[in-house]
Amino acid sequence: QSVLTQPPSASGTPGQRVTISCSGGSSNTGTYYVSWFQQLPGTAPKLLIYRNNQRPSGVPDRFSGSKSGTSASLAISGLRSEDEADYYCAAWDDSLGGPAFGGGTKLTVL
Amino acid sequence: QVQLQESGPGLVKPSQTLSLTCTVSGGSISSGDHYWSWIRQPPGKGLEWIGYIYYSGSTYYKPSLKSRVSISVDRSKNQFSLKLSSVTAADTAVYYCARSDYYYDRSGRYVRISDFDYWGQGTLVTVSS
């Protein structure tokens, strides 16, 4: 049971916009930066968003992040088949004493 | 381009010590610009941060694993290593090494990380007799 709560699954059709939520509390997302990762099957996670809404170079601007209060969201616009993957949020958690990851959301492109 | 590569035994017996090394290329651990972490993922499950080390040798471990974990750095080889003692089947996982940027908490005293920007490919470690 993670301290960061994500929906276990999400889906959309090609071209659609989907959002994935990450809900925490004052000891994590309410205080610290949120990051988002994409994990394609059989591969290591890839950083998509850091410091709530910043994109590393090379990450398409179809991916965007936001945070309000203790909740964060990852939005993917112009959904593509290659976006089908697991997505994880992360933030430092004072109660855990380290960075916490959400349980992950499996995105299916219908 | 920064690259990280994990190496070590893929099979460890229960009660023994798991030992892995991460070799960094394309960047220097000694630059002091980043923190270096170990993260694991049990088969079919989510990600769990284990601990980090700074180039100076300063470490920080997940409290629930602290009694069994040790992370060290070899700056001459641009490597850092993980040792996890008294392993059980619950420690079976893909182990990743990763680099992260860092910032300070509101007090300005304590380092915080979550931006893991470079990862190794991961190595599966199975705990079994």
Side-chain angles (χ1 to χ4, degrees):
Chain A
Q1 193 79 1
S2 176
V3 296
L4 304 183
T5 301
Q6 297 180 235
S9 63
S11 63
T13 56
Q16 208 172 23
R17 182 178 187 270
V18 297
T19 60
I20 298 172
S21 62
C22 175
S23 178
S26 59
S27 65
N28 43 67
T29 55
T31 300
Y32 299 110
Y33 292 124
V34 177
S35 305
W36 288 92
F37 301 87
Q38 176 193 59
Q39 187 175 33
L40 299 170
T43 69
K46 171 189 174 183
L47 181 65
L48 284 181
I49 299 290
Y50 66 100
R51 302 208 176 188
N52 302 334
N53 55 19
Q54 302 299 302
R55 273 188 313 275
S57 59
V59 174
D61 59 7
R62 300 187 298 108
F63 296 90
S64 62
S66 64
K67 192 182 92 166
S68 178
T70 58
S71 292
S73 292
L74 172 71
I76 309 172
S77 60
L79 198 61
R80 305 172 70 163
S81 58
E82 55 260 42
D83 297 332
E84 192 160 283
D86 292 326
Y87 292 84
Y88 294 91
C89 61
W92 185 275
D93 182 80
D94 285 332
S95 301
L96 190 69
F101 290 91
T105 298
K106 184 174 184 61
L107 176 64
T108 301
V109 181
L110 302 170
Chain B
Q1 176 76 348
V2 175
Q3 292 186 317
L4 290 79
Q5 178 69 57
E6 305 90 351
S7 59
L11 181 64
V12 181
K13 289 182 168 53
S15 80
Q16 294 192 341
T17 297
L18 177 160
S19 296
L20 296 173
T21 295
C22 181
T23 300
V24 180
S25 58
S28 174
I29 289 178
S30 298
S31 71
D33 292 334
H34 300 92
Y35 278 69
W36 306 87
S37 288
W38 286 97
I39 296 164
R40 67 181 180 179
Q41 184 173 35
K45 296 188 178 180
L47 299 161
E48 178 185 28
W49 175 79
I50 298 170
Y52 69 57
I53 192 163
Y54 193 46
Y55 82 103
S56 62
S58 173
T59 55
Y60 190 86
Y61 306 132
K62 182 178 181 179
S64 61
L65 296 172
K66 187 177 181 179
S67 64
R68 298 196 293 132
V69 173
S70 175
I71 299 177
S72 58
V73 64
D74 186 335
R75 292 164 58 181
S76 66
K77 295 182 179 178
N78 217 30
Q79 296 175 333
F80 63 105
S81 299
L82 169 71
K83 290 188 185 300
L84 181 65
S85 63
S86 305
V87 297
T88 69
D91 296 309
T92 293
V94 174
Y95 284 77
Y96 296 100
C97 55
R99 186 188 87 166
S100 67
D101 198 353
Y102 64 96
Y103 60 98
Y104 289 93
D105 72 348
R106 288 176 178 170
S107 73
R109 295 169 58 191
Y110 300 106
V111 165
R112 299 294 183 247
I113 65 169
S114 65
D115 303 339
F116 302 102
D117 58 354
Y118 286 96
W119 297 64
Q121 65 185 28
T123 186
L124 175 62
V125 179
T126 301
V127 179
S128 175
S129 55

